[in-house]
Amino acid sequence: GAVVSQHPSRVICKSGTSVKIECRSLDFQATTMFWYRQFPKQSLMLMATSNEGSKATYEQGVEKDKFLINHASLTLSTLTVTSAHPEDSSFYICSAKTGPSGDYGYTFGSGTRLTVV
Amino acid sequence: AQSVTQLDSQVPVFEEAPVELRCNYSSSVSVYLFWYVQYPNQGLQLLLKYLSGSTLVESINGFEAEFNKSQTSFHLRKPSVHISDTAEYFCAVSDRGANNLFFGTGTRLTVIP
């Protein structure tokens, strides 16, 4: 079946530095990928929709300049947290749409636990 | 806008007992409904989904969920749970024709031997 690989699974960084998270579709082409953020005991919140070859669509309240998304190929989307601060510490999850329109097949990565110290 | 409520954050249940994980949603339009399961240190996996047709949907590992439009619910049930069912379960909703999913806060199912 469709597999989405997310890397790294855990990262600790210093405040003020940038961190890049990768999301790869291993055995299918993903024209659309999604980035979510999950706070403890809260829902997964959609941050942005990443479209291959075009700019990402950000949800209201998500800072575009802080969370840079690049979807340069059909198998890779990256999320870069720039100038990270402790409040950016969270669990980030990506997903890719695998089915044709209307099938609603989504495959999720295993998530990245970001801790900013 | 859609929202999803999972009232129970944690559900402990003994092995081979039945379980129900509750999910209610709110939406002004027709929706698609999903249940995802997340095992420790793994991504979310689709358990089952309701798109149209029969309101009772089943998964391959014995779970089922019933779409109840009047009660705006999509509760997940299993008549007899196994230790291996211990995981986090997320209910999600999507507007028909939309790309994104709105998730509930999740329910931690713990099966006790």
Side-chain angles (χ1 to χ4, degrees), chain A residues 104-116:
Chain A
Y104 281 92
Y106 295 89
T107 298
F108 285 79
S110 54
T112 298
R113 172 74 60 192
L114 171 63
T115 303
V116 185

Side-chain angles (χ1 to χ4, degrees), chain A residues 84-106:
Chain A
H85 291 287
E87 57 264 31
D88 298 324
S89 297
S90 191
F91 193 59
Y92 295 87
I93 305 175
C94 70
S95 75
K97 195 168 183 180
T98 55
S101 178
D103 177 69
Y104 281 92
Y106 295 89

Side-chain angles (χ1 to χ4, degrees), chain A residues 10 32 34 36 38 41-44 46 49 51 59 91 93 97 102-111, chain B residues 4 10 32 34 36 38 41-44 46 49 51 90 94-105:
Chain A
R10 292 178 181 272
T32 304
F34 306 89
Y36 293 85
Q38 184 181 27
K41 300 187 184 299
Q42 295 190 30
S43 297
L44 279 72
L46 180 65
T49 301
N51 298 296
E59 295 300 303
F91 193 59
I93 305 175
K97 195 168 183 180
D103 177 69
Y104 281 92
Y106 295 89
T107 298
F108 285 79
S110 54
Chain B
V4 179
Q10 297 188 57
Y32 294 140
F34 308 81
Y36 285 86
Q38 184 177 33
N41 300 314
Q42 295 187 30
L44 277 71
L46 180 65
K49 62 185 177 184
L51 303 182
F90 292 93
S94 172
D95 276 351
R96 296 191 175 195
N99 258 333
N100 52 0
L101 296 172
F102 291 89
F103 286 87
T105 52

